[in-house]
Amino acid sequence: MSEQNLPDKDEAAGRAMRAADDTHKHLAQLFSPKATDAGQEVISRVQGMWGSGKPGESGDTSGFEGMRRVISLTGSTEPPFGGWFDDVADRMAELVPGFATRVMVHRGEITFFVDRDKLLELAKHLRDDEALRFEICVSVSGVHYPEQTGHELHAVFHLLSMTYNRRIRLEVEVSEDYPHLPSLVPVYPMANFHERETWDMFGIIFDGHPALTRILMPDDWVGHPQRKDYPLGGIPVEFKGAVVPPADDRRSYNR
């Protein structure tokens, strides 16, 4: 084929996009009206390896006290996502239109940020639908981003399809002022202890959980230790002939 007869690159890309749309016609229904693009949202700025570098605080003994890093979130990914990601996302959007506030494809993994009000309905379809069959909730964990005002706490659900050997991640954002979301225990009973640990460490309340009690800390413990604004504190650890004080009571390292 001569060079002048080669298809225009933009035209070829447009045909590929239309073909993808014909195959995955429900992707247009994927996003909720609440959808946002976090872009490269900055969540923290870090100085040094270990210490904050602020005057009066413990020095950074790593030798990297001059290093400064800006930590930001990966932005939202627009469809088509590629491979089986499109098949799964298309079917999810067909069953529960507008469930996603954003989607992130990063390092070969896909994360669906889910509207809290549609989480339970979506989970049931993910488990039961023949084209999806995510039979197992492998784990539930929490993340705390104090800088994200209004959606500081994230609950993360890792799902596995044994039938198709696929893994996806669901992430739901809640605020510190109202940290409630539906429990997935009615759909995935094995999430029971994972949700208890997430409540214990981060304070995310799973409505409908059969027994949302502490699992690592004592029942009368105050606060949630894995939140980033939780003080280091700690309790003294006693050994024979010695006591290791809490982290906040240890000496500062000054040059």
Side-chain angles (χ1 to χ4, degrees), residues 142-146 152-153 174-179 198-205 223-232:
V143 191
H144 184 213
Y145 298 113
E152 298 90 351
L153 296 169
V174 295
S175 69
E176 292 178 347
D177 295 333
Y178 189 78
T198 305
W199 143 249
D200 194 359
M201 294 292 102
F202 292 92
I204 298 174
I205 300 171
H224 305 284
Q226 286 192 346
R227 287 195 183 186
K228 292 180 181 177
D229 55 3
Y230 190 85
L232 286 176

Side-chain angles (χ1 to χ4, degrees), residues 59-75:
D60 189 332
T61 61
S62 67
F64 292 93
E65 65 273 9
M67 182 174 68
R68 290 173 173 81
R69 292 176 294 155
V70 176
I71 301 174
S72 59
L73 296 177
T74 301

Side-chain angles (χ1 to χ4, degrees), residues 191-212:
N192 188 320
F193 288 175
H194 296 283
E195 290 186 354
R196 285 180 58 193
E197 182 175 351
T198 305
W199 143 249
D200 194 359
M201 294 292 102
F202 292 92
I204 298 174
I205 300 171
F206 295 90
D207 296 328
H209 190 284
L212 195 62

Side-chain angles (χ1 to χ4, degrees), residues 19-228:
D21 290 345
D22 292 341
T23 306
H24 303 103
K25 58 186 177 181
H26 300 288
L27 286 179
Q29 302 171 286
L30 183 65
F31 292 103
S32 162
K34 304 175 186 177
T36 59
D37 182 1
Q40 295 294 321
E41 182 178 359
V42 175
I43 57 173
S44 66
R45 291 176 171 83
V46 181
Q47 179 174 342
M49 182 72 76
W50 312 116
S52 66
K54 296 179 181 177
E57 295 188 5
S58 296
D60 189 332
T61 61
S62 67
F64 292 93
E65 65 273 9
M67 182 174 68
R68 290 173 173 81
R69 292 176 294 155
V70 176
I71 301 174
S72 59
L73 296 177
T74 301
S76 182
T77 306
E78 296 297 323
F81 308 116
W84 62 263
F85 290 170
D86 289 317
D87 299 331
V88 168
D90 184 76
R91 183 58 175 163
M92 292 166 71
E94 181 181 1
L95 295 169
V96 188
F99 74 86
T101 57
R102 62 189 178 98
V103 179
M104 183 175 68
V105 177
H106 184 58
R107 296 188 178 182
E109 299 180 347
I110 188 166
T111 302
F112 296 95
F113 287 75
V114 179
D115 184 334
R116 170 172 48 194
D117 297 334
K118 298 190 176 184
L119 175 62
L120 195 57
E121 178 188 3
L122 180 66
K124 291 176 182 176
H125 287 301
L126 285 167
R127 182 194 63 185
D128 297 337
D129 186 75
E130 290 288 347
L132 298 172
R133 288 298 189 192
F134 287 92
E135 304 98 340
I136 301 174
C137 180
V138 178
S139 68
V140 183
S141 56
V143 191
H144 184 213
Y145 298 113
E147 300 84 358
Q148 290 188 309
T149 305
H151 53 113
E152 298 90 351
L153 296 169
H154 296 206
V156 186
F157 303 86
H158 301 263
L159 305 185
L160 167 66
S161 169
M162 295 289 287
T163 301
Y164 300 111
N165 190 25
R166 295 170 173 172
R167 294 176 185 266
I168 63 171
R169 185 184 294 110
L170 307 181
E171 191 159 339
V172 188
E173 302 171 318
V174 295
S175 69
E176 292 178 347
D177 295 333
Y178 189 78
H180 291 260
L181 70 155
S183 170
L184 291 194
V185 172
V187 181
Y188 297 109
M190 67 187 299
N192 188 320
F193 288 175
H194 296 283
E195 290 186 354
R196 285 180 58 193
E197 182 175 351
T198 305
W199 143 249
D200 194 359
M201 294 292 102
F202 292 92
I204 298 174
I205 300 171
F206 295 90
D207 296 328
H209 190 284
L212 195 62
T213 56
R214 291 195 182 273
I215 192 171
L216 297 176
M217 308 305 291
D219 289 340
D220 59 353
W221 194 268
V222 177
H224 305 284
Q226 286 192 346
R227 287 195 183 186
K228 292 180 181 177

